[in-house]
Tab-separated table of all heavy atoms in Angstrom:
chain	number	residue	atom	x	y	z
H	33	THR	N	195.723	-103.945	9.991
H	33	THR	CA	195.420	-103.740	11.407
H	33	THR	C	196.011	-102.411	11.872
H	33	THR	O	196.997	-101.931	11.306
H	33	THR	CB	196.028	-104.870	12.259
H	33	THR	OG1	197.454	-104.782	12.175
H	33	THR	CG2	195.541	-106.235	11.804
H	34	PRO	N	195.436	-101.810	12.913
H	34	PRO	CA	195.983	-100.551	13.431
H	34	PRO	C	197.469	-100.648	13.815
H	34	PRO	O	198.232	-99.726	13.559
H	34	PRO	CB	195.105	-100.262	14.651
H	34	PRO	CG	193.804	-100.917	14.325
H	34	PRO	CD	194.182	-102.174	13.569
H	35	ALA	N	197.873	-101.771	14.397
H	35	ALA	CA	199.284	-101.928	14.794
H	35	ALA	C	200.201	-101.941	13.571
H	35	ALA	O	201.265	-101.309	13.575
H	35	ALA	CB	199.468	-103.203	15.606
H	36	LEU	N	199.789	-102.643	12.524
H	36	LEU	CA	200.605	-102.696	11.315
H	36	LEU	C	200.647	-101.329	10.631
H	36	LEU	O	201.705	-100.880	10.175
H	36	LEU	CB	200.071	-103.758	10.358
H	36	LEU	CG	200.896	-103.997	9.095
H	36	LEU	CD1	202.329	-104.407	9.452
H	36	LEU	CD2	200.244	-105.066	8.241
H	37	ILE	N	199.506	-100.650	10.588
H	37	ILE	CA	199.472	-99.302	10.013
H	37	ILE	C	200.407	-98.383	10.789
H	37	ILE	O	201.179	-97.617	10.199
H	37	ILE	CB	198.032	-98.752	10.008
H	37	ILE	CG1	197.181	-99.542	9.019
H	37	ILE	CG2	198.018	-97.268	9.664
H	37	ILE	CD1	195.700	-99.242	9.092
H	38	SER	N	200.367	-98.455	12.104
H	38	SER	CA	201.258	-97.628	12.926
H	38	SER	C	202.717	-97.921	12.603
H	38	SER	O	203.532	-96.999	12.494
H	38	SER	CB	200.983	-97.868	14.414
H	38	SER	OG	201.811	-97.038	15.192
H	39	ASN	N	203.055	-99.175	12.439
H	39	ASN	CA	204.434	-99.524	12.084
H	39	ASN	C	204.831	-98.940	10.731
H	39	ASN	O	205.937	-98.426	10.569
H	39	ASN	CB	204.627	-101.041	12.076
H	39	ASN	CG	204.644	-101.618	13.469
H	39	ASN	OD1	204.935	-100.919	14.440
H	39	ASN	ND2	204.321	-102.887	13.587
H	40	TYR	N	203.930	-99.022	9.767
H	40	TYR	CA	204.203	-98.422	8.455
H	40	TYR	C	204.400	-96.903	8.591
H	40	TYR	O	205.300	-96.331	7.989
H	40	TYR	CB	203.065	-98.682	7.474
H	40	TYR	CG	203.037	-100.069	6.884
H	40	TYR	CD1	201.839	-100.738	6.717
H	40	TYR	CD2	204.202	-100.713	6.466
H	40	TYR	CE1	201.790	-102.006	6.151
H	40	TYR	CE2	204.163	-101.978	5.907
H	40	TYR	CZ	202.960	-102.617	5.753
H	40	TYR	OH	202.917	-103.864	5.196
H	41	LEU	N	203.540	-96.272	9.376
H	41	LEU	CA	203.647	-94.820	9.538
H	41	LEU	C	204.933	-94.426	10.255
H	41	LEU	O	205.553	-93.418	9.906
H	41	LEU	CB	202.425	-94.274	10.278
H	41	LEU	CG	201.099	-94.381	9.524
H	41	LEU	CD1	199.956	-93.860	10.377
H	41	LEU	CD2	201.158	-93.663	8.189
H	42	LEU	N	205.339	-95.222	11.229
H	42	LEU	CA	206.601	-94.930	11.921
H	42	LEU	C	207.795	-95.011	10.968
H	42	LEU	O	208.801	-94.332	11.162
H	42	LEU	CB	206.793	-95.892	13.097
H	42	LEU	CG	205.882	-95.656	14.294
H	42	LEU	CD1	205.990	-96.807	15.287
H	42	LEU	CD2	206.206	-94.326	14.966
H	43	ALA	N	207.684	-95.836	9.939
H	43	ALA	CA	208.775	-95.993	8.973
H	43	ALA	C	208.639	-95.037	7.785
H	43	ALA	O	209.484	-95.050	6.895
H	43	ALA	CB	208.803	-97.435	8.467
H	44	SER	N	207.617	-94.194	7.790
H	44	SER	CA	207.353	-93.312	6.650
H	44	SER	C	208.045	-91.969	6.803
H	44	SER	O	208.371	-91.534	7.901
H	44	SER	CB	205.848	-93.080	6.507
H	44	SER	OG	205.193	-94.297	6.268
Side-chain angles (χ1 to χ4, degrees):
T33 66
L36 185 58
I37 292 170
S38 182
N39 287 337
Y40 283 139
L41 293 178
L42 288 170
S44 299

